[in-house]
């Protein structure tokens, strides 16, 4: 079945440590996104990528980094500069059909990151 | 700037009664509008979208939504609620002219259906 796989499901970070969250999709989608979800705050955009080797900052990019070396993969690194990383992280992807923006985003099942 | 408002943090309804989850939006141009549902510790599942045409959009699991341009609203509705509909619901918008950008989400509304 086609879909988006996020791993691990749970992740713990020590002080001063960088951690990387994996996101892989087999939907042949061009665009991929990372959101952070905190209780009562909805989803906030961290980074997004429309094509391979290109990505843009979202609303809360500070303390995070991404890469897009392959169409299928869009890993997110939470750096030690992110002082409050505890949250639920969601990866999504969507088609970019002829540049139109009417396609829904499809989501993975998330990674819950906590501080040790 | 684009934005979405879900004015109710929580909606409570009895099983078998109709339900409405409210959403209003703000975009500079014409909107593409979406509803998603999230169950605990899961990702978001797409329910339905409004692109153009008929103002009443039908989606998954018996849900529908009504687009009202004059009121800039896109309320989610279901004629008869089920206990299994209890979940967190998100409304999202994208300006039709901003191809390739991410969806803007509301803060979510928790729907609780009692038996």
């Amino acid at each position: 079945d086609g879909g988006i796989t996020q791993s691990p499901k749970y992740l713990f970070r020590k002080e001063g440590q960088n951690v990387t969250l994996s996101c892989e999709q087999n939907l042949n989608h061009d665009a991929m996104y990372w959101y952070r979800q905190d209780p009562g705050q909805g989803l906030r955009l961290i980074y997004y990528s429309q094509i391979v080797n290109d990505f843009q900052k979202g609303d809360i990019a500070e303390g995070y980094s991404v890469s897009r070396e392959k169409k299928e993969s869009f890993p997110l690194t939470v750096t030690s500069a992110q002082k409050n990383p505890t949250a639920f992280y969601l990866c999504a992807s969507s088609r970019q059909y002829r540049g139109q923006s009417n396609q829904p985003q499809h989501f993975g099942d998330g990674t819950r990151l906590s501080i040790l | 700037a684009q934005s979405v408002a879900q004015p109710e943090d929580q909606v409570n309804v009895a099983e078998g009664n109709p339900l409405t989850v409210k959403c209003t939006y703000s975009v500079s141009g014409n909107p593409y509008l979406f509803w998603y549902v999230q169950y605990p510790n899961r990702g978001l599942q797409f329910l339905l979208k409004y692109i153009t045409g008929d103002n009443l959009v039908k989606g998954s699991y018996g849900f529908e939504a009504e687009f009202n341009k004059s009121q800039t609203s896109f309320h989610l509705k279901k004629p008869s609620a089920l206990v299994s509909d209890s979940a967190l619901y998100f409304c999202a918008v994208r300006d039709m002219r901003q191809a390739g950008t991410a969806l803007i989400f509301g803060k979510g509304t928790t729907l609780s259906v009692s038996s």
Side-chain angles (χ1 to χ4, degrees):
Chain A
D1 287 340
I4 300 175
T5 302
Q6 290 188 242
S7 62
K9 192 168 181 65
Y10 300 96
L11 187 59
F12 298 90
R13 196 191 87 169
K14 296 179 181 179
E15 292 289 337
Q17 184 183 43
N18 294 350
V19 292
T20 297
L21 284 61
S22 171
C23 177
E24 302 278 334
Q25 55 99 357
N26 61 3
L27 298 168
N28 199 32
H29 286 169
D30 292 303
M32 297 187 74
Y33 313 85
W34 274 106
Y35 290 91
R36 170 178 171 144
Q37 185 178 14
D38 296 281
Q41 295 195 43
L43 276 68
R44 292 182 291 168
L45 182 66
I46 304 173
Y47 270 99
Y48 68 101
S49 167
Q50 297 179 44
I51 57 172
V52 174
N53 293 323
D54 186 49
F55 48 83
Q56 287 79 40
K57 291 182 179 180
D59 299 319
I60 56 165
E62 185 175 351
Y64 300 96
S65 65
V66 293
S67 64
R68 187 85 188 278
E69 298 177 0
K70 298 186 300 182
K71 187 176 184 178
E72 303 80 18
S73 179
F74 191 41
L76 173 73
T77 296
V78 183
T79 74
S80 57
Q82 172 52 245
K83 298 306 180 187
N84 183 24
T86 298
F88 191 50
Y89 291 86
L90 288 162
C91 179
S93 70
S94 68
R95 291 178 61 192
Q96 293 287 82
Y97 180 65
R98 296 180 182 176
Q100 293 181 349
S101 56
N102 62 2
Q103 300 299 312
Q105 292 176 190
H106 299 261
F107 284 81
D109 273 343
T111 293
R112 189 167 296 280
L113 176 62
S114 303
I115 295 294
L116 281 178
Chain B
Q2 303 175 77
S3 66
V4 175
Q6 295 181 241
E8 301 155 318
D9 291 335
Q10 178 146 348
V11 169
N12 299 309
V13 64
E15 187 174 32
N17 284 356
L19 69 87
T20 298
V21 182
K22 296 180 180 177
C23 171
T24 59
Y25 66 90
S26 175
V27 296
S28 300
N30 291 318
Y32 291 137
L33 292 156
F34 304 81
W35 274 103
Y36 287 82
V37 61
Q38 185 182 34
Y39 296 97
N41 294 311
R42 300 295 301 275
L44 276 65
Q45 295 177 32
F46 169 69
L47 282 177
L48 51 80
K49 67 179 180 181
Y50 171 80
I51 303 302
T52 187
D54 195 349
N55 289 343
L56 185 63
V57 179
K58 294 188 183 297
S60 305
Y61 312 119
F63 284 94
E64 57 190 28
E66 186 168 13
F67 172 65
N68 187 317
K69 187 172 184 178
S70 63
Q71 297 185 5
T72 62
S73 67
F74 189 55
H75 301 331
L76 182 70
K77 301 183 179 185
K78 188 173 183 182
S80 178
L82 299 173
V83 172
S84 58
D85 292 331
S86 298
L88 182 58
Y89 290 81
F90 288 98
C91 181
V93 70
R94 183 190 282 128
D95 189 317
M96 196 180 291
R97 300 172 305 176
Q98 297 192 10
T101 57
L103 294 177
I104 304 300
F105 286 85
K107 293 188 175 182
T109 297
T110 299
L111 174 66
S112 178
V113 182
S114 57
S115 57

